[in-house]
């Protein structure tokens, strides 16, 4: 099915945050892999390039056109079939357009989990998760999407289909080609099917919100928890006190079960299936760390409703930032041992140069992943906002380089971070990337100008 009218295309042509509104020649909505393949060949004949799109929740402008006059969006949304669930193999095969939450619900009915968990799971698709190598809340226990993929089916720029929907856990027959497409953000192939790993669903989940003395104390607590909680931790998020204020702004009725002025907060979850007693483990762990002064105050959820209320603080904080208008978002990782120093130095640099803005840092402690966001004043003009956002990005990226960190821990590069990414590439990395792109997509049809720019791709002659 092809959409060409303006109203029909509109929803596909704006980014999640509504910061950028674009357009496209058309939106293609194939129903199966054969139709994707036909669409690719038709676009090749017409000289059109293709922007693959999943749930369009990506945060780096990878899924919407930048040259609307010769680009089509290929939406996977109608390819939403759960092809098979095999609990004996601990695996499932799904269409790439399946919404993540739908996959999670379907496997839950069979007593299993697919552990990828992120705020956008009600909209993002498995194909998008694979293409961005999404991270999320449970990485510390289960890894990134790359660690959860067993096989892929991919349509290539020449229309041919790479059929690799294996459920083998071990397969060392040469180079693992599926890895080329994980995190490639649609620039090498269109993912149409995914074979995923499943785990037994935990029947015990303990969630706690803790007030601690500093981010440094949160990192120390994480190290301790990894040892004491037998590697059963499935989430360990840190938030500043500002997070609770922002969550309240977004959800005024939200219950705050803890004082709102501790220097830092940790949202921690441990979970397991089987014979361990997770409730007892959490109680003993918290008793010890509170007696030793590592935790000032804390609440343990006594029901799944209370647990989901605690998670609402984490989700509400993100919504609260959006309510304060367009702002600078980052997705940084640094070595865990340098996390608290990084946040202190970067926030201080922002405060010194942009005193009118608010810097807020939160993230996934265990992965050394911090989202250091900078919020301009609510009454800032659009022009001032743009200046402040650009300047804040420059300030923070300089500190990231100082700490030898990554400017994209989990969101990818897209078009938003392309220039900053290219600036930091070593020559050999750059040549290798361009050689790969030119070999697989010589006509530059798939997601041009995302991750790396076209002009530079042409320079790749030898590695
Ligand atoms: C509220 C919120 C919370 C988020 N939290 C997290 C988080 O914790 N961790 C995290 O990693 N990300 C997070 N994200 C970012 C986003 O949800 C992920 O990047 C997600 O994996 C994108 O999936 P999608 O289906 O929406 O992809 P899209 O946004 O549609 O596309 C993303 C990129 O992948 C390409 N693509 C999409 N589908 C395919 C396909 N089938 N084949 C080839 N290329 C394709 C697109 O061209 C684009 O370059 C969050 C986003 C929001 C809005």
């Amino acid at each position: 099915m092809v959409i060409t009218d303006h109203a029909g295309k509109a929803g596909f042509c704006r980014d999640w945050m509504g910061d950028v509104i674009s357009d496209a020649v058309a939106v293609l909505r194939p129903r199966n892999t054969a139709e994707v393949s036909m669409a690719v060949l038709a676009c090749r004949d017409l000289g059109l390039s293709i922007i693959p799109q999943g749930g369009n929740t990506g945060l780096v402008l990878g899924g919407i056109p930048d040259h609307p006059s010769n680009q089509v969006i290929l939406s996977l949304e109608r390819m939403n079939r759960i092809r098979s669930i095999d609990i004996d193999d601990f695996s499932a095969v799904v269409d790439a357009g399946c919404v993540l939450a739908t996959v999670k619900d379907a496997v839950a009915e069979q007593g299993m989990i697919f552990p990828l968990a992120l705020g956008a799971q009600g909209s993002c698709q498995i194909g998008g998760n694979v293409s961005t190598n999404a991270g999320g809340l449970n990485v510390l226990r289960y890894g990134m999407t790359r660690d959860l993929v067993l096989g892929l089916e991919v349509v290539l720029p020449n229309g041919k289909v790479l059929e690799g929907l294996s459920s083998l856990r071990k397969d060392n027959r040469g180079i693992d080609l599926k890895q080329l497409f994980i995190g490639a953000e649609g620039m090498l192939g269109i993912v149409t099917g995914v074979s995923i790993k499943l785990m037994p669903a935990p029947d015990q989940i303990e969630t706690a919100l803790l007030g601690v003395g500093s981010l440094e104390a949160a990192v120390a607590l994480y190290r301790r928890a990894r040892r004491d909680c037998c590697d059963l931790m499935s989430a360990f998020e840190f938030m500043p006190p500002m997070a609770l204020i922002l969550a309240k702004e977004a959800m005024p009725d939200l219950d705050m079960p803890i004082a709102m002025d501790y220097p830092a907060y940790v949202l921690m979850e441990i979970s397991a299936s089987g014979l361990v007693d997770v409730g007892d483990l959490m109680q003993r762990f918290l008793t010890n760390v509170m007696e030793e002064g590592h935790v000032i105050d804390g609440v343990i959820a006594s029901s799944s409703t209370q647990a989901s209320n605690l998670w609402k603080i984490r989700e509400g904080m993100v919504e609260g930032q959006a309510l304060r208008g367009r702002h600078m978002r980052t997705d940084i990782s640094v070595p865990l041992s340098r996390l608290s120093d990084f946040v202190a130095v970067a926030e201080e640099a922002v405060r010194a140069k942009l005193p009118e803005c608010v810097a807020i840092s939160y993230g996934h402690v265990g992965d050394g992943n911090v989202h250091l966001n900078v919020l301009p004043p609510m009454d800032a003009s659009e022009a001032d906002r743009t200046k402040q956002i650009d300047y804040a990005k420059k300030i923070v990226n300089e500190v990231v380089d100082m700490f030898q960190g990554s400017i994209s821990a989990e969101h990818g590069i897209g078009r938003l971070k392309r220039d900053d990414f290219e600036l930091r590439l070593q020559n050999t990395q750059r040549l290798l990337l361009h050689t790969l792109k030119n070999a697989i997509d010589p006509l530059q049809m798939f997601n041009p100008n995302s991750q790396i720019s076209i002009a530079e791709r042409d320079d790749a002659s030898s590695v």
Side-chain angles (χ1 to χ4, degrees), residues 57-369:
T57 67
L59 299 174
V60 291
L61 305 180
I64 56 168
D66 63 339
H67 285 92
S69 60
N70 68 349
Q71 294 176 339
V72 299
I73 292 173
L74 188 142
S75 165
L76 279 293
E77 71 180 3
R78 291 212 296 168
M79 291 186 60
N80 55 10
R81 208 163 43 95
I82 308 266
R83 299 193 197 176
S84 61
I85 297 175
D86 189 330
I87 57 171
D88 294 330
D89 266 350
F90 292 90
S91 69
V93 176
V94 301
D95 276 358
C98 283
V99 169
L100 174 57
T102 308
V103 173
K104 291 168 80 76
D105 289 347
V107 303
E109 280 174 22
Q110 314 256 357
M112 311 297 274
I113 54 160
F114 179 58
L116 185 65
L118 40 144
Q121 65 193 30
S123 305
C124 65
Q125 299 175 2
I126 293 286
N129 302 145
V130 168
S131 302
T132 57
N133 186 27
L137 304 169
N138 294 338
V139 172
L140 79 172
R141 170 105 168 251
Y142 300 104
M144 305 276 282
T145 301
R146 189 182 299 282
D147 300 298
L148 302 170
V149 172
L150 293 170
L152 290 182
E153 177 188 86
V154 185
V155 174
L156 300 172
N158 60 9
K160 292 198 169 24
V161 182
L162 178 72
E163 287 168 2
L165 288 175
S166 162
S167 63
L168 296 177
R169 309 242 151 190
K170 283 186 156 181
D171 185 8
N172 261 350
R173 288 174 291 179
I175 289 177
D176 184 1
L177 290 175
K178 69 174 178 293
Q179 301 298 346
L180 289 176
F181 303 95
I182 303 177
E185 297 179 80
M187 61 179 263
L188 298 179
I190 301 173
V191 177
T192 50
V194 188
S195 172
I196 53 174
K197 284 184 194 169
L198 304 180
M199 329 278 162
D203 43 23
Q204 305 170 56
I205 302 178
E206 291 290 325
T207 312
L209 179 64
L210 312 171
V212 294
S214 62
L215 173 53
E216 210 176 345
V219 175
L221 185 68
Y222 168 74
R223 289 202 191 95
R224 173 76 182 267
R226 275 208 73 168
R227 288 198 177 82
D228 286 6
C229 298
C230 319
D231 256 338
L232 294 177
M233 245 190 318
S234 34
F236 195 99
E237 300 286 304
F238 80 91
M239 298 178 284
M242 182 72 190
L244 280 62
I245 295 169
L246 288 164
K248 254 314 208 194
E249 284 176 14
M251 303 175 178
D253 296 334
L254 190 63
D255 272 344
M256 281 300 162
I258 194 166
M260 289 173 67
D261 57 355
Y262 291 120
Y265 293 84
V266 165
L267 186 55
M268 176 182 169
E269 183 185 274
I270 52 179
S271 58
S273 61
L275 302 178
V276 289
D277 184 342
V278 174
D280 178 58
L281 182 63
M282 180 68 106
Q283 284 287 356
R284 280 191 291 138
F285 172 69
L286 288 184
T287 305
N288 289 344
V289 290
M290 285 179 101
E291 275 173 12
E292 292 163 22
H294 300 301
V295 171
I296 309 169
D297 190 8
V299 282
I300 303 179
S302 60
S303 65
S304 57
T305 313
Q306 275 186 14
S308 94
N309 271 345
L310 296 183
W311 279 106
K312 276 189 190 151
I313 299 175
R314 173 69 170 77
E315 289 152 24
M317 165 192 61
V318 178
E319 282 178 39
Q321 291 173 73
L323 289 178
R324 290 196 174 201
R326 198 157 56 86
H327 55 277
M328 199 270 295
R329 296 182 293 275
T330 65
D331 167 35
I332 292 157
S333 63
V334 292
L336 178 59
S337 56
R338 310 197 71 194
L339 185 68
S340 50
D341 287 346
F342 167 79
V343 170
V345 173
E347 284 195 355
E348 182 47 40
V350 172
R351 265 194 299 273
K353 290 172 181 152
L354 288 168
E356 68 280 25
C357 296
V358 174
I360 169 168
S361 304
Y362 59 94
H364 318 299
V365 170
D367 318 325
N369 183 186

